[in-house]
Structure formats: C-alpha cells, structure tokens
Amino acid sequence: APTTLRIAEIFGPTIQGEGALIGEPTVFVRAGGCDYRCSWCDSLHAVDSRYRDTWAPMATDEIWQEVTRLSGGQPLTVSLSGGNPAIQNFAPLIALGKEAGYRFACETQGSISQPWFAALDTLVLSPKPPSSGHRVDWQKFDHCLLAARGCDQIVLKIVIFDDCDYDWAKAVAHRYPDLPLYLQPGNPEVDPETPVDLTAATERLHWLIEKVTADRWFVPRVLPQLHVLVWGNKRGV
Amino acid sequence: APTTLRIAEIFGPTIQGEGALIGEPTVFVRAGGCDYRCSWCDSLHAVDSRYRDTWAPMATDEIWQEVTRLSGGQPLTVSLSGGNPAIQNFAPLIALGKEAGYRFACETQGSISQPWFAALDTLVLSPKPPSSGHRVDWQKFDHCLLAARGCDQIVLKIVIFDDCDYDWAKAVAHRYPDLPLYLQPGNPEVDPETPVDLTAATERLHWLIEKVTADRWFVPRVLPQLHVLVWGNKRGV
Ligand code: SF4
Ligand code: SF4
C-alpha cells in the first residue's frame, strides 16, 4: 500500500486571506496533526487528536486528484497548511503539482524542517509569539531556513495579540532583517458557530496599524485575515 | 519663485489599503487635479475644481519637508496619488526622497505618461472600467508602460462594479499577460460623512471572489480596500 498522509480538509478555490499571498486564488490542503498547542489556535480541528478520526488517510495521488478536481485542472497556488504540514512528506505532491504548472506555498511554525521546503514557491514561517504559550526553538527554526534554500520566497508572518507579542516581533525582525515580515492582529474569536464581530475585527487591525505607525516601525506589512472578515470562522472557505 | 505643485493632502504614516503594496506603511501625497471624472470617484476633493482652493500650492522642498516630518525621517514608501498625479512633475520630489532611502509608488489611470515613471519603485496603472463612464485610450496607456521601463514593479489594478467591468478586466488581462493584476470590488459608498456598511463591503468582496473562482480565472489577486473597512470613507487616514 502507498504511504498515506493525514488530511484534515482540502478546499477551494478561494483566495488566500493572509500574508504575502493575500488575495491569491488558492486551493488549501490542510494537514492533520500539530506538534504545538497554541492557546488561541484557530485550527483545532486539524490539531487536536480528539478530531483525529475526521482526518482522512489519503495517498498523494488521491490528494492530487482532489486538487485537480477543485481547480478544474487550471493551475493555481496550492497552500499546504495545518496543523503543521511539516510533520508529513509532501514532496511527492509538490513534484506532481509542479509538473502540471501549479505553484506551492506552505505555512508552518518552523519547528520541524523538511527537505521539500526547497521545492516550494513560497514558504511562510510563522513563529509563535509568547501569547501562544510556546517558546520558539530558534535552532530548529534556523534549520527550516537552511532547508528552504532555493525556495523563491521565504517570509515571516507573526500574529500579534498584545504588546508583549509586538515587542517580541520586533526582536524577531531584528534577528532576520532580510526576511519580509507580515504582521496580523490575533483573532480571539475562533468558534466556527459564532458570527465574527466585524467591528471588533477591524478595531484589532486598527490597533496594530496605530502601534506600528506611532512607533515608526516601517518594516512590516500589516494585514488582517480577510477570510475572517468575509466568512467569519466558517470552515472550508 | 520655484515651481509649485497642487497638493490636495499629505497624510500618514498609515498602511496602503489596496493592491500590490497592501499593508505597507506609507505616507500619501495626494495631488490635486484630474483629467477624468469617474462616475464613482471616491476622491472628488482632489478632482473637482470646486475644491480647487483647498489644494495647496507647494514647492517640492515643502512637500518633502512634510513627508519627512510625518515619517520622523524614517524611510518608508511614499505613494503619489490623486486625482491624477501624472499631470504634475514629481521628478524632483522622487529624486530628493530616493536619496534619503525612501521608496516611491504612484497610482494613475494611465492617461498621461511621465518620464519620472521610470524612477518609481512601483507604478500602479489603474485603467478605468466601463462603469466609470470613461473609455481608455490604449495608445496613451501603452505610452505609460513605455515611460515606466526601468521601474521595478509595474502592476495593473482594476476596480470592478459589475459583470460588464469584470468581462472588461478579463480582456485587459489578456492584453497585458505579463503584468500582475489586482482586482478590487468597487465602493459605491463614497460620502465621507456616512459610516461604511461593513457587511455590504465584505459582501462585495465575497461577490468578486465568487466570480473569479467560479470562473476558474486564477490570474488576478482579489483584494478589498482595507482603509475603507478600517476607517470608512474618512479622509486623511
Ligand atoms: S502551530 Fe498553528 S495549527 Fe499548531 S496549534 Fe499553533 S496555531 Fe494551531
Ligand atoms: S481617475 Fe481616479 S481621481 Fe480621477 S476621477 Fe477617476 S477615480 Fe477620481
């Protein structure tokens, strides 16, 4: 039997809602499983082992078939997300897709490195700030950067919940001055059943813009989570 | 006396709310005067000659001083907008700013070309769709592209109000397959005194995302006007 991957969901095409590829038509492949347990994780259904039996064991061919079906065979960007997609081996999927002209992006916290990072078009490293409850292992993080050499676009994305996260993001930016940096306000509303408070969401963005500009820290781009503004916390969009 | 420019407003730092530089910390220099009169223009205060006496005649040095003051002397992106900034000569301002490490972007409809386009870091050409009431003169538009040779980043941005605009955007994309394309839903709420209906604004974005994905047209990025979501139609933010 071929190796299978644990897949929480495959959905799209929709637009990428965050970071460097914001607005880009994308099919998402969400891997099941994560080595982290962030306090404010908005993807628990792809993290918590309680949801484990909802993760489909899929062979690379099956995943690729579903991506092709959703995209109607029209090349677009495929985003590997999670959970932490770096737990599993996406090399064969990337190879298949690239052959057909698809682009591949991956978002991971940077705790596990994979040789296939180098085959990506975009690697988003999203180190988790103090409010997550985790502490970044920078040696592992640097391994991810090393593994990604050859990847066209490597960017940092940091979620900011509070002043402490903000100061931490500045220190991270200082550590990696050559990596483009994207900041986004944290979203404390993660219940998929509760409609998002649009005013509160835009106020959090406002808060972060004010902080950056008052500080005259003109390095990061500041962006919201568009999908939250458009669809709330609904899954599969 | 040195030549002066007609400036409707200089404001920031804030973030760029649209297109390729979305999220980027920016000071805006809004030029007064426009050769167009789009039916849905959201910058009438920089267009209509009725507001002409609110436009300050400013020498390049004065504009630069204000940009420096607002940014605290910290280099960032300066966006030349309008009205149509291509009516006036921003070459001396760009030269001054670049020397100090600032980046320059300009957004124009592409009806008037300027030699200083080539000195920009980013040129956003925003040809106006049928709903504007204007018809693009493609010869003039191509002159703008020619003048911009040497500019690092040239992108197209098209505002979409209806199906007709959408089909037109597809034809434009076909004409310029090598230019990155950004689409944004049109905003019919342009009164600065009326609070923006956030739900309606996100629904317009939703509509455009649905059109693009249902069509499997994976070429453009689809983005909202963030500043409208965050600040409504207020000026100077
Ligand atoms: S790393 Fe991401 S997916 Fe994993 S727990 Fe944290 S927020 Fe959730
Ligand atoms: S080109 Fe721009 S500034 Fe001029 S009238 Fe049209 S929308 Fe307004």
Coordinates of all heavy atoms in Angstrom, one line a residue, chain A residues 30 33-44 46-47 82-84 107-109 126 128 132 134, ligand 1:
Chain A
R30 N -5.2 21.0 4.0 CA -4.9 21.2 5.4 C -4.5 19.8 6.0 O -5.3 18.9 6.1 CB -6.1 21.8 6.1 CG -5.7 22.3 7.5 CD -6.9 22.7 8.3 NE -7.6 23.9 7.9 CZ -7.2 25.1 8.1 NH1 -6.0 25.3 8.7 NH2 -7.8 26.2 7.6
G33 N -2.7 17.2 12.4 CA -1.6 17.0 13.3 C -0.7 18.2 13.5 O -0.4 18.9 12.6
C34 N -0.4 18.4 14.8 CA 0.5 19.5 15.1 C 1.3 19.2 16.3 O 0.8 18.6 17.2 CB -0.3 20.8 15.3 SG 0.7 22.3 15.3
D35 N 2.6 19.6 16.3 CA 3.4 19.5 17.5 C 3.2 20.6 18.5 O 3.9 20.6 19.5 CB 4.9 19.4 17.0 CG 5.3 20.4 16.0 OD1 4.4 20.8 15.1 OD2 6.4 20.9 16.1
Y36 N 2.4 21.6 18.1 CA 2.1 22.7 19.1 C 0.7 22.6 19.6 O -0.1 21.9 19.0 CB 2.3 24.0 18.3 CG 3.7 24.6 18.3 CD1 4.8 23.8 18.4 CD2 3.9 26.0 18.2 CE1 6.1 24.4 18.3 CE2 5.1 26.6 18.2 CZ 6.2 25.8 18.3 OH 7.5 26.4 18.2
R37 N 0.4 23.4 20.6 CA -0.9 23.5 21.1 C -1.1 25.0 21.5 O -1.1 25.3 22.7 CB -1.2 22.7 22.3 CG -1.3 21.2 22.1 CD -2.5 20.8 21.2 NE -2.6 19.3 21.0 CZ -1.9 18.7 20.1 NH1 -1.0 19.3 19.3 NH2 -2.0 17.4 19.9
C38 N -1.2 25.9 20.5 CA -1.3 27.3 20.8 C -2.6 27.6 21.5 O -3.6 27.1 21.2 CB -1.2 28.1 19.5 SG 0.4 27.9 18.6
S39 N -2.5 28.5 22.5 CA -3.6 28.8 23.3 C -4.8 29.3 22.5 O -5.9 29.0 22.8 CB -3.2 29.9 24.4 OG -2.8 31.0 23.7
W40 N -4.5 30.0 21.4 CA -5.5 30.6 20.6 C -5.7 30.0 19.2 O -6.2 30.6 18.3 CB -5.3 32.1 20.4 CG -3.8 32.5 20.4 CD1 -3.2 33.2 21.3 CD2 -2.9 32.3 19.3 NE1 -1.8 33.4 20.9 CE2 -1.7 32.8 19.7 CE3 -3.0 31.6 18.1 CZ2 -0.5 32.8 18.9 CZ3 -1.8 31.5 17.3 CH2 -0.6 32.1 17.7
C41 N -5.2 28.7 19.1 CA -5.3 28.0 17.8 C -6.6 28.1 17.2 O -7.7 27.8 17.8 CB -4.9 26.6 18.0 SG -4.9 25.7 16.4
D42 N -6.7 28.5 15.9 CA -8.0 28.7 15.2 C -8.2 27.4 14.3 O -9.1 27.4 13.5 CB -8.0 30.0 14.4 CG -7.0 30.1 13.4 OD1 -6.1 29.2 13.3 OD2 -6.9 31.1 12.6
S43 N -7.3 26.4 14.4 CA -7.5 25.3 13.5 C -7.5 24.0 14.4 O -6.9 23.0 14.0 CB -6.3 25.2 12.5 OG -6.2 26.4 11.8
L44 N -8.1 24.0 15.5 CA -8.1 22.9 16.4 C -8.5 21.6 15.8 O -8.1 20.5 16.1 CB -8.9 23.2 17.7 CG -8.2 23.8 18.9 CD1 -9.1 23.9 20.0 CD2 -7.0 22.9 19.2
A46 N -7.7 20.5 13.1 CA -6.6 19.9 12.4 C -5.4 19.7 13.4 O -4.3 19.4 12.9 CB -6.1 20.8 11.3
V47 N -5.7 19.9 14.6 CA -4.6 19.8 15.6 C -4.9 18.7 16.7 O -4.1 17.8 16.9 CB -4.4 21.2 16.3 CG1 -3.5 21.1 17.5 CG2 -3.8 22.2 15.3
G82 N -2.2 23.6 8.0 CA -2.4 22.6 9.1 C -3.2 23.2 10.2 O -4.0 24.1 10.0
G83 N -2.9 22.6 11.4 CA -1.9 21.8 11.8 C -0.5 22.3 11.3 O -0.3 23.4 10.9
N84 N 0.5 21.4 11.5 CA 1.8 21.6 11.0 C 2.1 20.7 9.8 O 2.4 19.5 10.0 CB 2.8 21.4 12.1 CG 4.2 21.8 11.6 OD1 4.4 22.2 10.4 ND2 5.2 21.7 12.5
E107 N 2.6 27.0 4.9 CA 2.8 27.7 6.2 C 3.0 26.8 7.3 O 2.3 25.9 7.6 CB 1.5 28.6 6.4 CG 1.7 29.3 7.7 CD 0.7 30.5 7.9 OE1 0.1 30.9 6.9 OE2 0.5 30.9 9.1
T108 N 4.1 27.1 8.1 CA 4.4 26.3 9.2 C 5.1 27.2 10.3 O 5.6 28.2 10.0 CB 5.4 25.2 8.8 OG1 5.8 24.4 10.0 CG2 6.6 25.7 8.1
Q109 N 5.0 26.7 11.5 CA 5.6 27.5 12.6 C 7.1 27.5 12.7 O 7.7 28.3 13.4 CB 5.0 27.1 14.0 CG 5.3 25.6 14.4 CD 4.2 24.7 14.0 OE1 3.6 24.8 12.9 NE2 3.8 23.9 14.9
S126 N 6.0 31.0 10.4 CA 5.1 31.8 11.3 C 5.5 31.4 12.8 O 4.7 30.7 13.4 CB 3.7 31.4 11.0 OG 2.8 32.1 11.7
K128 N 5.6 31.4 16.6 CA 4.5 31.7 17.5 C 5.0 32.6 18.6 O 6.0 32.3 19.3 CB 3.9 30.5 18.1 CG 3.3 29.5 17.0 CD 2.3 30.2 16.0 CE 2.0 29.3 14.8 NZ 1.3 30.1 13.8
S132 N 1.0 32.6 22.6 CA 0.7 31.2 22.2 C 0.9 30.2 23.3 O 0.3 29.1 23.3 CB 1.5 30.8 21.0 OG 2.8 30.6 21.3
H134 N 3.8 29.0 23.6 CA 5.0 28.2 23.2 C 6.3 29.2 23.2 O 6.1 30.4 23.2 CB 4.8 27.7 21.8 CG 4.0 26.5 21.8 ND1 4.5 25.2 22.1 CD2 2.6 26.3 21.6 CE1 3.5 24.3 22.0 NE2 2.4 25.0 21.7
Ligands
SF4_1 S1 1.1 25.9 15.4 FE1 -0.8 26.6 14.2 S2 -2.0 24.8 14.0 FE2 -0.5 24.3 15.5 S3 -1.5 24.7 17.5 FE3 -0.4 26.6 16.9 S4 -1.9 27.8 15.7 FE4 -2.7 25.7 15.9

